[in-house]
Amino acid sequence: MTKSKGRVPRIVVIGGGTGLSVMLRGLKQKPLDITAIVTVADDGGSSGILREELQMPPPGDIRSVLAALAEAEPLLADMLSYRFNNGKGLAGHSLGNLILAAMTDITGDFVTGIRELSRVLAVRGRVLPAANQAIVLKAEMADGTVVTGESSIPKAGGSIARVFIEPAEVEPLPEAVEAIEQADAILMGPGSLYTSIIPNLLVPKLAAAIVRSCAVKIFVCNVMTQPGETDNYTVSNHLDAIQAHIGHQIFDYVIVNDGEIPTQVHTMYAEQGSKAVHVDMDEVTRRGYKVIADTLVLFRTYLRHDASKLSQHIYQLVSDWMERKG
């Protein structure tokens, strides 16, 4: 595909969870044509209840991404994330999840419901589920046991050998495949490796489209390990896990944090069984990846990526790539 000079870069961001939403808040400030492809494997909390009771894909990760990309009044985005603390049947539900459930019922289709809500919220870009149905995520642990359910996997307490989905041959959303085929850049992470990122890559035609794509492919590595998922993982361990599931080494660039994390933050996370992901630069570069390292973290209540600095690195990288490609 020829790249036209002066065109706004088309970027596809794949994943789920809080890390994806934080990054998108930064990316939407850049002149980018954004498509977010979001996992539909969530089965915990409010999403899990709506998924089971209404037979719909889980709305939670979609709702977070819509709120992150919304150009509407900040109060409206906050309203989407509001979670009821009281009320029989309401406690634990997020208002945004209930609105998505209502839109699905009104329009007769989850994808159409997302599209219409995106219009109401003046969402910057497109938000697409990886598939138009819920998928069940399962993990085979190192000891051979199988754990069923996205929310149960990190609680199993073992080492994950691989994850897989049911139905295995789920069809991706055609618009998601098309977005990947037309992308100038494909971006994955940050987020839960086995329960937010890899599930998207287990949708066969989605993975095949990513492998075929001539876009620049970027992985944003997590700053901290996740208990029950990536205990003691290095950056190269994250990359190896993705390669093992997709069967190809797909990324051109890896973005990592090499900034210092304060001792008190280390202590707080250590109490939860989490520590900084070791940046094993030699191993990553030996595998052929190009590395962009910078101080990319902010600490408020939790450690998060600095959305502004991260999005600037991504935008610069994609712009340079397009310039080189002509």
Side-chain angles (χ1 to χ4, degrees):
M1 187 194 306
T2 58
K3 313 284 185 187
S4 54
K5 285 197 173 184
R7 176 170 57 72
V8 173
R10 291 187 288 248
I11 185 167
V12 172
V13 185
I14 301 172
T18 307
L20 180 66
S21 300
V22 168
M23 182 171 66
L24 286 171
R25 289 182 196 278
L27 287 175
K28 79 174 180 183
Q29 306 300 331
K30 302 294 182 186
L32 293 167
D33 180 346
I34 302 169
T35 299
I37 298 175
V38 185
T39 179
V40 283
D42 190 6
D43 65 354
S46 170
S47 281
I49 293 167
L50 293 171
R51 167 182 174 149
E52 186 176 338
E53 292 187 357
L54 302 180
Q55 299 300 299
M56 65 177 285
D61 283 340
I62 296 278
R63 179 255 308 156
S64 296
V65 170
L66 287 172
L69 288 174
E71 296 282 19
E73 290 294 323
L75 185 60
L76 200 54
D78 290 344
M79 189 179 75
L80 278 186
S81 303
Y82 175 77
R83 199 170 291 276
F84 293 94
N85 294 313
N86 302 298
K88 190 176 180 182
L90 268 182
H93 276 298
S94 131
L95 181 58
N97 287 359
L98 297 177
I99 291 171
L100 267 171
M103 292 298 286
T104 300
D105 201 32
I106 290 165
T107 63
D109 178 72
F110 187 53
V111 175
T112 308
I114 295 167
R115 188 182 302 126
E116 291 303 308
L117 187 54
S118 296
R119 191 172 53 79
V120 170
L121 294 170
V123 162
R124 172 81 189 279
R126 287 188 302 167
V127 181
L128 303 171
N132 200 8
Q133 68 180 86
I135 57 175
V136 177
L137 186 67
K138 297 187 175 186
E140 181 184 340
M141 311 304 283
D143 63 3
T145 58
V146 173
V147 180
T148 299
E150 180 265 353
S151 59
S152 302
I153 292 168
K155 299 173 187 169
S159 175
I160 299 169
R162 69 182 183 106
V163 289
F164 56 101
I165 59 170
E166 289 183 356
E169 296 302 317
V170 65
E171 285 290 319
L173 208 64
E175 296 98 313
V177 175
E178 185 183 348
I180 289 167
E181 290 172 345
Q182 295 180 353
D184 299 302
I186 297 170
L187 180 64
M188 289 182 218
S192 300
L193 180 65
Y194 288 103
T195 54
S196 289
I197 297 170
I198 290 177
N200 297 288
L201 304 176
L202 299 177
V203 179
K205 291 179 185 174
L206 213 56
I210 293 167
V211 171
R212 284 196 312 268
S213 170
C214 296
V216 60
K217 295 161 194 167
I218 308 160
F219 180 66
V220 180
C221 193
N222 293 335
V223 176
M224 306 298 290
T225 62
Q226 186 169 352
E229 283 205 40
T230 55
D231 297 289
N232 299 313
Y233 268 39
T234 63
V235 174
S236 67
N237 291 150
H238 284 77
L239 295 162
D240 289 349
I242 292 172
Q243 183 173 341
H245 282 82
I246 202 171
H248 294 268
Q249 182 170 312
I250 56 174
F251 299 110
D252 302 294
Y253 289 89
V254 182
I255 299 177
V256 300
N257 171 64
D258 68 352
E260 283 294 315
I261 296 170
T263 303
Q264 69 269 25
V265 178
H266 273 295
T267 303
M268 186 186 93
Y269 274 87
E271 289 169 359
Q272 303 165 18
S274 179
K275 65 181 185 179
V277 172
H278 174 58
V279 181
D280 52 341
M281 195 76 78
D282 290 345
E283 282 297 316
V284 176
T285 53
R286 190 174 65 79
R287 286 159 167 75
Y289 300 103
K290 300 179 187 75
V291 180
I292 294 172
D294 196 0
T295 300
L296 293 172
V297 288
L298 292 172
F299 179 72
R300 291 191 178 103
T301 311
Y302 298 98
L303 205 59
R304 295 280 183 255
H305 274 93
D306 182 329
S308 179
K309 284 181 77 172
L310 179 58
S311 60
Q312 181 56 38
H313 276 294
I314 293 164
Y315 179 68
Q316 192 63 55
L317 198 162
V318 175
S319 299
D320 291 348
W321 175 273
M322 288 182 69
E323 188 68 32
R324 288 198 301 272
K325 293 294 177 183

